[in-house]
Amino acid sequence: MDRYPPIAEHGLVGDLQTAALVSSQGVVDWFAAPRFDSPSIFAALLDHDGGGFFRLASDDPGSTRRQLYYPDTAVLVTRFMSPDGVGEVLDWMPPGRTGTPTDRHTLVRAVRAVRGTVRFAMECRPRFDYGRASHTLALVPGGAVFRAPGIAAHLRAAFPVARDGPDAVGEVVLEVGESSVVALTVCAADGPAPPVPTVGAFTEQLWETVDFWQRWVRGSRYRGRWSDMVNRSAITLRLLTYAPSGAPVAAATMGLPEQIGGERNWDYRYTWVRDGALSVRALLDLGFVDEAIAFTHWIGDRLREDTGEEPLRIMYRVDGEPLLREEILPHFEGYRGSYPVRLGNAAAGQLQLDIYGEALYALSEAREVGIQAGYRGWKVVARTLDWLVDSWDRPDEGIWETRGGRQDFTYSRVMCWAAFDRGLRLASELSRPADTARWTRTRDAVLEQVMERGWSESEQAFVQYYGGGVLDASLLLMPRVGFLAPKDPGWLATLDAMDRTLVSDSLVYRYDPAASPDGLRGSEGTFSLCTFLYVDALARAGRLRKARYTFEKMLTYANHVGLFAEEIGPSGEQLGNFPQAFTHLSLITAARTLDEALDAAHAEGHG
């Protein structure tokens, strides 16, 4: 197996409380349990020698590999093809009772020969607590048990398992039509052992999992031009959502670099208010109302928490816990030497005022389907906006979580405007008590400030922060939230300026770190989120040919199973944590906007 396969050479499986990455070589090289943000069990993607992995693959090194999802599901199929035979590994995690937190999670790996004879080799080499905890191994009938402090992992196989030091290995030879299975169940140290697996029992479970996902996808009302990609993005968003709380994580992984060998290696296994709030619109557009409701309730719970400080933090753990102390794992070398590997995220303590706009945006969008906070909930919203009246005009760290000092970021002010704009709409629609006169004066003051100080005459564009000359792709959201009309002359000039400075072969950079130092060394790739926001803005501006071509080109950067990381590197490689929820939700919104604009153009006879 490769020490470090490309980031894009992976599929994602999960049970709506945690998830695992499976490489196209049949290796599980990332898995944390019992939650997304729990310590890792397999982390070879961050340290090949010390991270741990679970390999199940053809032992023919010359075999050709292909990977795909079973249609409209989160069941991953990895195929191995050689002159002697063709075999498949099917990976899935049964969703179970998705609304109830549990410490018990099972990763199932079934193998079958579909042509000729195939020998499959298995290596299960866990390294608990990010490789920091030692473990014991006991062979038992039907498999093995790994034990580390506070956790047990039961390996159950329908074929013989042997000891290899502290790890378990095995192999099985299958003739055409034959199948076998191995399952790893992670639970508390004293959790009961699962039964020895049988092919029949797991075949039934496989089809139950297939039915679960296909039923869910059928709930989508998207009937546009890019159904396959939109459905895959929707499934990915669901896989990255912690079902018991309704909170999505930004990505399944931690520590994957934005530049190979660089230091921009963050832990993304937490819930950003911004990401989750913007996902509400995407979910509602697809018809997934329950998921949108769940997250608006989660936001409401955060606003109700009286911390005595800022009403909201920018990110939380999936259960709402705000403490995310950042530390470095010094024993991990990092993906292809990209050190340091960071656990936790110090950005949790930053000031980012845009989150209030995104939170109110989500609550306002949810109102569309009859979601109401009730009187007590409204009082929380009103209290938040009353606080923001006195608190919006401050420098902050901005949407990109820069570590180079606070600035008066234009995007932060735009979203403060959105907070008051949406709050005023809700107060009117719900006939709720509010200091609307004060909110209106503040909303208008924010707009006037942005128009006067966020605009650069030299750049003929709205810029990243007041007094600066750097463009910033976050401002692509200005027309989406209604701050400017999509064809406003100032906005079109800004879009033209972004074309000149941020766009490279249709791919969009967040900003130029060299021109606007962010406190970190190195560079980064283009941001896939920003490219889809660019498509959305182009479509709204009526630049449909460019919008569609950019969108179609961007889809070619998806990996072999339709997944996107955070960034695209200079040679088209995917970089950053994987897969990234923000990228997939922006794909959905771009597809919806572009579909509607193209349909309208065709109806008007413009082609």
Side-chain angles (χ1 to χ4, degrees):
M1 62 185 258
D2 294 345
R3 285 183 61 83
Y4 293 104
I7 291 171
E9 281 297 309
H10 292 83
L12 180 75
V13 298
D15 63 1
L16 310 184
Q17 295 191 28
T18 187
L21 293 189
V22 185
S23 79
S24 61
Q25 301 176 49
V27 179
V28 178
D29 51 17
W30 177 260
F31 178 52
R35 299 192 324 201
F36 295 105
D37 55 358
S38 296
S40 66
I41 297 168
F42 303 120
L45 202 54
L46 299 178
D47 191 283
H48 178 272
D49 297 326
F53 62 88
F54 185 3
R55 176 175 177 265
L56 183 60
S58 165
D59 69 352
D60 183 344
S63 61
T64 300
R65 304 183 301 271
R66 295 286 185 271
Q67 201 170 47
L68 70 154
Y69 278 109
Y70 195 86
D72 285 342
T73 76
V75 175
L76 190 66
V77 182
T78 307
R79 290 167 51 80
F80 299 88
M81 294 166 281
S82 72
D84 295 329
V86 176
E88 296 180 341
V89 179
L90 285 77
D91 286 288
W92 74 91
M93 295 183 70
R97 296 177 61 191
T98 58
T100 304
T102 178
D103 62 6
R104 193 175 186 87
H105 302 272
T106 299
L107 172 63
V108 184
R109 314 201 69 190
V111 290
R112 60 190 184 192
V114 297
R115 191 167 64 207
T117 302
V118 185
R119 182 188 300 272
F120 290 95
M122 184 207 73
E123 301 173 72
C124 188
R125 304 184 186 276
R127 298 294 182 265
F128 296 90
D129 189 23
Y130 308 106
R132 298 180 295 193
S134 60
H135 68 267
T136 62
L137 169 69
L139 295 180
V140 297
V145 182
F146 304 92
R147 295 191 185 277
I151 192 170
H154 298 267
L155 183 73
R156 293 291 183 261
F159 51 83
V161 171
R163 177 189 296 271
D164 183 20
D167 305 321
V169 297
E171 67 175 31
V172 59
V173 179
L174 300 177
E175 302 290 339
V176 60
E178 293 181 335
S179 302
S180 193
V181 66
V182 58
L184 184 73
T185 298
V186 179
C187 60
D190 58 354
V196 176
T198 65
V199 172
F202 277 102
T203 298
E204 182 178 347
Q205 185 193 80
L206 167 64
W207 293 118
E208 289 174 354
T209 303
V210 167
D211 289 344
F212 170 88
W213 284 106
Q214 290 185 340
R215 280 196 306 270
W216 184 78
V217 171
R218 283 198 297 272
S220 172
R221 63 187 181 203
Y222 180 77
R223 299 295 183 269
R225 296 165 176 80
W226 299 282
S227 292
D228 287 346
M229 290 301 294
V230 168
N231 286 348
R232 180 51 52 197
S233 290
I235 291 171
T236 303
L237 284 179
R238 185 89 196 274
L239 278 171
L240 294 175
T241 299
Y242 184 68
S245 68
V249 295
T253 58
M254 57 179 278
L256 292 180
E258 297 175 13
Q259 178 188 31
I260 301 300
E263 67 168 334
R264 300 167 187 262
N265 316 316
W266 314 114
D267 190 346
Y268 273 14
R269 301 170 301 147
Y270 309 113
T271 299
W272 270 252
V273 169
R274 174 188 312 113
D275 301 30
L278 294 177
S279 74
V280 169
R281 179 70 265 165
L283 292 167
L284 291 175
D285 283 344
L286 297 181
F288 296 123
V289 175
D290 290 346
E291 289 76 10
I293 291 174
F295 186 71
T296 57
H297 287 167
W298 186 91
I299 287 183
D301 289 342
R302 304 290 77 74
L303 286 170
R304 276 187 285 271
E305 294 168 349
D306 185 5
T307 63
E309 302 172 1
E310 306 281 334
L312 280 178
R313 294 175 181 264
I314 69 166
M315 74 178 86
Y316 300 81
R317 294 187 182 276
V318 291
D319 61 358
E321 168 61 49
L323 299 178
L324 299 173
R325 184 175 64 89
E326 185 176 302
E327 61 180 295
I328 289 172
L329 300 178
H331 58 292
F332 273 5
E333 70 171 4
Y335 176 82
R336 297 187 180 180
S338 301
Y339 182 86
V341 175
R342 291 182 173 91
L343 167 64
N345 200 311
Q350 289 188 350
L351 174 65
Q352 295 179 27
L353 292 166
D354 63 281
I355 60 176
Y356 298 101
E358 286 124 9
L360 267 294
Y361 178 82
L363 295 174
S364 175
E365 297 294 296
R367 164 72 177 148
E368 194 178 285
V369 289
I371 303 171
Q372 295 189 26
Y375 177 74
R376 294 184 187 278
W378 170 253
K379 294 295 286 184
V380 172
V381 170
R383 183 183 69 205
T384 302
L385 286 173
D386 288 341
W387 171 88
L388 191 60
V389 165
D390 299 318
S391 305
W392 67 271
D393 197 8
R394 293 179 289 165
D396 67 356
E397 275 88 4
I399 180 176
W400 304 128
E401 296 164 10
T402 58
R403 301 192 179 192
R406 293 181 177 179
Q407 295 281 2
D408 290 309
F409 284 103
T410 305
Y411 176 78
S412 296
R413 305 303 167 85
V414 168
M415 294 310 293
C416 285
W417 174 90
F420 291 112
D421 180 71
R422 291 335 191 258
L424 287 164
R425 291 188 198 182
L426 288 172
S428 175
E429 292 172 2
L430 299 174
S431 299
R432 293 289 186 259
D435 193 347
T436 54
R438 194 162 174 243
W439 294 1
T440 300
R441 288 194 302 270
T442 307
R443 179 197 63 186
D444 295 346
V446 178
L447 186 142
E448 289 175 358
Q449 186 190 87
V450 170
M451 298 301 291
E452 293 174 4
R453 299 181 61 192
W455 175 263
S456 167
E457 283 295 329
S458 62
E459 299 298 325
Q460 283 295 291
F462 290 96
V463 290
Q464 185 180 57
Y465 55 83
Y466 295 170
V470 177
L471 278 291
D472 192 311
S474 65
L475 297 177
L476 288 163
L477 281 165
M478 291 176 83
R480 172 167 276 278
V481 300
F483 186 88
L484 289 174
K487 297 182 182 180
D488 179 279
W491 172 246
L492 294 179
T494 301
L495 200 52
D496 290 338
M498 290 184 181
D499 286 342
R500 295 191 299 269
T501 60
L502 296 182
V503 180
S504 174
D505 189 26
S506 298
L507 301 176
V508 182
Y509 290 94
R510 296 189 299 177
Y511 57 92
D512 181 359
S516 177
D518 56 12
L520 297 163
R521 296 187 304 273
S523 60
E524 59 187 22
T526 57
F527 253 59
S528 298
L529 155 72
C530 297
T531 304
F532 286 122
L533 294 181
Y534 178 58
V535 170
D536 187 273
L538 287 172
R540 290 173 183 272
R543 300 176 180 182
L544 295 186
R545 287 178 176 168
K546 191 172 189 177
R548 182 163 190 179
Y549 187 48
T550 300
F551 188 72
E552 297 285 4
K553 285 171 72 175
M554 187 57 192
L555 295 185
T556 70
Y557 290 98
N559 81 342
H560 55 287
V561 290
L563 303 183
F564 285 93
E566 185 174 33
E567 300 184 13
I568 305 295
S571 301
E573 70 277 18
Q574 297 211 31
L575 295 171
N577 284 302
F578 179 89
Q580 198 201 34
F582 218 166
T583 302
H584 285 278
L585 78 88
S586 62
L587 183 157
I588 293 169
T589 56
R592 288 272 305 176
T593 299
L594 189 51
D595 269 319
E596 291 175 2
L598 290 169
D599 289 345
H602 286 305
E604 294 170 5
H606 297 310

